[in-house]
Amino acid sequence: MIKEKTTSFSNLSKYGYLNLPVPNRKNIVDKIIELKKEKNATILAHYYQNKEIQDLADFLGDSLYLSQVASKVKSKMIVFAGVHFMAETAKIINPIKKVVLPDLKAGCSLADSCPPEDFKKFISKVKNPYVVTYINCSAEIKALSDIVCTSSNAEKVIASIPNNKNIIFAPDKNLGNYLIKKTGRKMILWNGSCIVHEAFSFEKILKLFKEYPNAKFIAHPESEPHILEIANFIGSTSALLKYVNESNSSTFIIATESGIIHQMRKKSPNKNFIPAPVNDEKCLCSECAFMKLNTLEKLYLCLKYELPEIKLSNHLINSAREPIKKMLSLT
Ligand code: 13P
Ligand code: SF4
């Protein structure tokens, strides 16, 4: 029997552990399940993850659900199969847990579009501001906020804000514009967006409507206004999933990251799901390249070596926690 070489954590460089041996594809799922028990870990995964990761997760859901679950996790470690801001949120709301993310480079274009120093200046120019931030932002941005929201609860969050306040909404201008329309509230918007949800092609979607005249077109509110304008239904990933399950229609064109289609097919195997086409034919743009950085191999290594870990200062955790807790108490 070949004895497995033990590796000391301190010898592992920031990404060095990614080159360490992993079980083959046939065994890796069983090994991950074994390791999860051994390490007393809980795997949380977002709907945009690869299907094999979705199938392994202890909890699978949208950003709101995953943050609710993260606040209550009892195990020693949270393995967050998602992107950096999601793992960071889990650390902020449950700071005594070790939180690891399979690939630390799994970022988010929306979160990156809002640098804290620029955002501070933006806020300082507004009188009597009330800062609402979409959960897709960094811990530093959350710390500058009055309340956080997700696409599942944004309308409820906006409705809770006193009328005399000037609402600043960041970082997603598309979700912001959608909320202005839905709630009738004025808002000052930060000019950020998601590369995945801005890639959908209006013309190609219209062409698909001709090909599938009975299809329902459903979209995530991070999509651009002219795309949302022609949608039969707009909602968070969990709302889109619910809509599809409950609808009598049999064909759906989906304008969000295509990972969600795995759950749609599982829950409604007889229905037909078409990812909304994107502008660039050569690009897999309806896949979030950040989300897809997580693989089974990285998940295995992450559990085995408990790396890379999300580390935040106590000061940042304390200041970013209040606006998240405010959101969680509302929903
Ligand atoms: P949901 O909260 O709807 O799952 O969205 C997360 C996200 O990153 C959308 O791009
Ligand atoms: Fe960020 Fe867009 Fe990826 Fe969602 S889909 S994680 S908003 S880059």
Side-chain angles (χ1 to χ4, degrees):
M1 198 177 102
I2 304 165
K3 218 172 155 215
E4 206 176 329
K5 213 175 124 203
T6 52
T7 311
S8 125
F9 287 6
S10 54
N11 285 340
L12 298 172
S13 66
K14 210 169 170 197
Y15 296 111
Y17 69 96
L18 287 177
N19 299 321
L20 291 168
V22 290
N24 61 35
R25 275 269 153 166
K26 228 174 106 205
N27 300 326
I28 197 161
V29 169
D30 291 342
K31 292 286 177 198
I32 290 174
I33 295 169
E34 257 172 46
L35 264 179
K36 198 176 61 137
K37 275 198 203 125
E38 187 190 312
K39 298 279 183 164
N40 187 14
T42 303
I43 302 179
L44 309 193
H46 189 265
Y47 290 129
Y48 294 166
Q49 289 296 284
N50 288 316
K51 51 187 171 194
E52 56 269 33
I53 295 183
Q54 292 191 33
D55 291 345
L56 250 178
D58 296 298
F59 297 93
L60 173 70
D62 69 0
S63 311
L64 177 63
Y65 175 72
L66 294 175
S67 57
Q68 287 164 331
V69 170
S71 70
K72 294 182 196 130
V73 161
K74 296 275 181 295
S75 63
K76 199 180 113 237
M77 179 161 72
I78 297 174
V79 180
F80 213 117
V83 287
H84 192 270
F85 77 81
M86 295 179 172
E88 214 176 45
T89 305
K91 181 71 188 173
I92 294 165
I93 48 182
N94 205 343
I96 57 165
K97 304 295 172 190
K98 180 178 257 191
V99 179
V100 289
L101 175 71
D103 191 323
L104 210 50
K105 289 188 223 132
C108 167
S109 63
L110 196 42
D112 290 347
S113 68
C114 195
E117 281 314 311
D118 296 347
F119 192 51
K120 245 188 236 169
K121 282 187 210 143
F122 188 76
I123 299 173
S124 70
K125 290 184 188 136
V126 177
K127 248 192 183 172
N128 200 17
Y130 195 95
V131 181
V132 185
T133 51
Y134 187 35
I135 198 161
N136 299 37
C137 65
S138 65
E140 287 81 2
I141 297 294
K142 289 184 176 81
L144 295 170
S145 313
D146 290 294
I147 193 163
V148 168
C149 73
T150 76
S151 49
S152 283
N153 60 16
E155 285 174 55
K156 207 175 206 172
V157 165
I158 302 295
S160 74
I161 302 170
N163 277 324
N164 64 343
K165 295 283 182 186
N166 288 318
I167 303 175
I168 293 178
F169 187 85
D172 189 12
K173 63 175 179 193
N174 293 322
L175 176 61
N177 273 316
Y178 170 72
L179 290 169
I180 292 174
K181 260 188 148 178
K182 281 292 273 191
T183 63
R185 291 291 293 269
K186 274 193 191 156
M187 288 186 214
I188 302 155
L189 304 181
W190 179 262
N191 187 18
S193 59
C194 157
I195 41 168
V196 178
H197 289 86
E198 285 208 325
F200 299 119
S201 160
F202 185 72
E203 287 72 26
K204 289 182 192 168
I205 293 168
L206 291 185
K207 257 193 197 165
L208 266 184
F209 284 0
K210 284 193 186 143
E211 227 177 294
Y212 300 94
N214 297 322
K216 294 283 183 226
F217 174 55
I218 63 174
H220 193 281
E222 284 173 25
S223 310
E224 293 175 294
H226 62 293
I227 300 285
L228 297 179
E229 196 72 45
I230 54 168
N232 297 105
F233 181 76
I234 299 164
S236 64
T237 50
S238 52
L240 296 178
L241 197 52
K242 187 166 180 274
Y243 176 85
V244 158
N245 292 343
E246 291 172 0
S247 168
N248 292 327
S249 300
S250 59
T251 304
F252 302 85
I253 302 165
I254 321 287
T256 194
E257 213 274 356
S258 50
I260 186 84
I261 295 178
H262 178 53
Q263 287 309 309
M264 292 177 172
R265 288 200 177 115
K266 269 178 110 171
K267 294 206 158 77
S268 309
N270 299 322
K271 295 180 179 174
N272 182 22
F273 303 106
I274 307 165
V278 291
N279 284 309
D280 181 352
E281 257 152 39
K282 284 185 218 111
C283 159
L284 283 175
C285 303
S286 69
E287 284 201 350
C288 173
F290 301 108
M291 286 275 183
K292 280 359 191 216
L293 279 177
N294 297 327
T295 58
L296 280 181
E297 287 72 17
K298 288 179 195 166
L299 186 59
Y300 168 86
L301 291 168
C302 171
L303 265 162
K304 186 162 174 72
Y305 300 106
E306 304 185 17
L307 280 169
E309 187 182 353
I310 301 289
K311 289 205 168 152
L312 300 169
S313 71
N314 286 341
H315 175 70
L316 186 54
I317 288 179
N318 291 336
S319 22
R321 194 192 300 131
E322 281 318 303
I324 303 173
K325 271 175 72 183
K326 211 188 264 179
M327 166 189 85
L328 292 177
S329 69
L330 262 185
T331 41

